[in-house]
Amino acid sequence: MHKIEHEVDIDWVIGQLKGQYLERLAQLKTANKKEKALLHCIVIGYESSLQLLNQKDWLQEYPFEP
């Protein structure tokens, strides 16, 4: 069995998550009812990931209110 190790640039990951989170929040403003249900789930996923990466303060600046 091979052990594979990878280095991850956590700041890059956080930046990508923040960008996707903000993009989906913007999409919610113009989404139809069917799209909103899916976008809610996606945003909650990004929000959970960012919370696990200790980004709670940042999330407070961009709250998700379903």
Side-chain angles (χ1 to χ4, degrees):
M1 197 181 266
H2 296 281
K3 183 176 180 183
I4 299 174
E5 292 185 24
H6 297 281
E7 287 189 30
V8 176
D9 182 350
I10 196 68
D11 292 329
W12 181 85
V13 172
I14 290 170
Q16 293 295 307
L17 287 169
K18 286 178 178 179
Q20 289 294 314
Y21 177 84
L22 292 174
E23 186 177 320
R24 299 298 188 234
L25 280 182
Q27 289 175 345
L28 273 170
K29 294 177 182 175
T30 59
N32 64 37
K33 187 176 182 179
K34 188 176 182 180
E35 293 169 333
K36 281 187 180 189
L38 176 60
L39 286 170
H40 280 175
C41 294
I42 292 170
V43 169
I44 289 168
Y46 286 130
E47 186 178 52
S48 298
S49 297
L50 287 163
Q51 286 176 358
L52 289 171
L53 291 167
N54 202 25
Q55 299 300 306
K56 293 178 183 113
D57 291 340
W58 183 86
L59 284 167
Q60 288 178 350
E61 295 177 34
Y62 305 97
F64 169 57
E65 300 169 3

